[in-house]
Amino acid sequence: MTFSAVIVAAGASLRAGPGVPKPWRDLGGRPVLDWSARALAAAGVRQLVVVTTADRIGAAQALLSGLPGLVVVEGGATRSLSVRAGLAALDGPPEEPVLVHDAARPFLSGEVIGRVLDALATADGALAALPVADSLRRGEDHVTGSVDREGLWRAQTPQAFRRHALVRAFDAWSGPEPTDEAAVMAATGARIALVRGDPRLFKLTWTEDFEMAESLARPAREVRMGQGIDAHRWGPGDGVWLCGVRIPHDAALVGHSDADAGLHALTDALLGAIGEGDIGQHFPPTDPRWKGEPSATFLAHAGALVGARGGRILSLDLTLVCERPKVAPHREAMRASVAAILGIDSGRVSIKATTTEGMGYTGRQEGLLAQALAAVELPAA
């Protein structure tokens, strides 16, 4: 259905505390106004009129540049005057549906837009609303009575009407400042449909509302786990690389690169957490480019892949299984090394060591085993 929309963003925002007006406060990295405007654009609005204060007209035009049929106009001293200014800026057929929406309700969905528009097929107007679920009481500093909540609704926006009908209703209005457009239309005897709103479509009114809105504005995230296991045999040498730290020793680990089993296991754990295969796929041991390569290159690559997916590393847990060398004296240097390679806090890195009490190839000091777990937070699929 073709429709136009008016977003009211000209209020003084006095109840929201100090700072810029509500439509211009940051929410999830962008102004509150931007959320509703782009939701309407995504729903297919033909023309979008934004009503704001005179000093914000240029900012609104710059912010919303490119949105369908964008017009930015100056509002009035009251909400009803601002709505009338928005209606006057609309073109198109008089019977075209128009949605009136508060910029301070940023979490507008296509589903709610569709429901209020569909309701115009059998009604003169429609508003999104939610039934009152809480018990209601009268009183000031103490309870003086109760209010029956049966049949009571919490009105939201958007509210939908045929443009010519809403303009005529405003022209006929002679009462005090109306609470919303539905009240103006109802005064003419119009039938206003109630359609299901959305609990997330609450109005930003008080300072604490912005804290709740910020939690909703964050993209959905999920935690993914990955495991990495690596082993290298001992060979001739005078030192070993473990987690990017060179430890003097009477042997060295044998491998195509620097054979840092700790960093190899951590690399595989990160790759596993994001579903990107294993270290051998990214750095084949048959490729001469990686001969003697510091394993920090591999771990940094895995960390960069996590970042490219919009993720962040929550924690790394590495266990080194060997009889010698002793890991404890070097543990903090290893943690710092891993943290520096990945650009994370060392508090997110755990490094432990254990022996197998002389059993198996690690007990016989034929090789060293590293086992790692990684927890990564990613945008939800």
Side-chain angles (χ1 to χ4, degrees):
M1 179 186 298
T2 301
F3 71 98
S4 56
V6 173
I7 297 181
V8 186
S13 305
L14 297 178
R15 292 177 293 179
V20 298
K22 290 184 292 187
W24 298 98
R25 298 192 185 185
D26 182 86
L27 178 61
R30 51 196 177 108
V32 168
L33 171 62
D34 194 58
W35 288 78
S36 297
R38 297 196 183 276
L40 288 161
V45 68
R46 181 192 65 82
Q47 185 179 25
L48 178 64
V49 176
V50 175
V51 186
T52 189
T53 52
D55 61 323
R56 297 281 181 175
I57 289 177
Q61 290 170 331
L63 174 68
L64 306 176
S65 175
L67 294 191
L70 178 67
V71 178
V72 183
V73 299
E74 181 181 354
T78 64
R79 175 195 168 85
S80 63
L81 289 175
S82 292
V83 173
R84 297 192 74 167
L87 292 173
L90 289 170
D91 57 26
E95 69 278 4
E96 182 180 53
V98 56
L99 301 188
V100 180
H101 184 63
D102 293 331
R105 296 183 187 270
F107 300 114
L108 177 60
S109 68
E111 291 76 13
V112 172
I113 293 171
R115 287 197 286 269
V116 294
L117 287 173
D118 289 344
L120 291 183
T122 57
D124 302 310
L127 64 88
L130 294 173
V132 173
D134 297 321
S135 296
L136 300 177
R137 298 290 185 268
R138 294 188 188 278
E140 294 294 335
D141 57 351
H142 65 279
V143 175
T144 60
S146 299
V147 178
D148 185 3
R149 68 189 177 198
E150 186 67 27
L152 294 182
W153 294 76
R154 295 160 46 202
Q156 299 181 318
T157 67
Q159 300 184 0
F161 313 94
R162 302 289 176 179
R163 179 165 63 93
H164 64 88
L166 183 56
V167 170
R168 286 200 302 265
F170 268 114
D171 289 341
W173 179 263
S174 59
E177 176 66 14
T179 55
D180 59 11
E181 296 65 57
V184 175
M185 283 288 291
T188 68
R191 180 176 180 272
I192 310 299
L194 291 167
V195 303
R196 181 164 53 89
D198 187 337
R200 293 167 296 186
L201 197 51
F202 63 93
K203 188 176 183 179
L204 299 175
T205 304
W206 311 105
T207 301
E208 54 268 29
D209 292 337
F210 284 84
E211 298 176 8
M212 183 164 60
E214 193 63 42
S215 66
L216 290 173
R218 297 190 199 108
R221 311 280 285 179
E222 63 183 14
V223 176
R224 303 264 296 272
M225 303 294 295
Q227 180 187 43
I229 299 175
D230 192 54
H232 286 273
R233 61 184 174 85
W234 290 110
D238 58 1
V240 58
W241 285 96
L242 287 175
C243 298
V245 175
R246 191 176 190 279
I247 301 173
H249 191 45
D250 57 7
L253 291 175
V254 178
H256 186 64
S257 63
D258 64 3
D260 190 327
L263 294 190
H264 293 180
L266 288 168
T267 299
D268 267 351
L270 286 176
L271 293 174
I274 60 174
E276 286 287 346
D278 59 36
I279 193 171
Q281 292 175 249
H282 294 262
F283 304 97
T286 55
D287 190 332
R289 284 184 299 168
W290 312 122
K291 179 67 175 176
E293 181 73 18
S295 296
T297 299
F298 311 149
L299 184 60
H301 173 75
L305 290 178
V306 172
R309 295 274 292 273
R312 70 185 184 105
I313 299 168
L314 298 178
S315 66
L316 298 171
D317 186 17
L318 174 70
T319 301
L320 299 170
V321 184
C322 59
E323 299 293 325
R324 293 188 306 127
K326 295 300 181 184
V327 169
H330 309 282
R331 179 181 289 113
E332 293 310 311
M334 292 179 181
R335 294 177 68 206
S337 171
V338 170
I341 293 168
L342 294 170
I344 62 176
D345 188 273
S346 61
R348 298 185 181 275
V349 182
S350 170
I351 295 177
K352 308 187 297 294
T354 190
T355 72
T356 56
E357 301 290 339
M359 298 179 291
Y361 69 87
T362 59
R364 295 189 297 269
Q365 300 186 49
E366 296 171 0
L368 178 146
L369 174 69
Q371 296 179 308
L373 290 174
V376 172
E377 185 185 61
L378 293 170

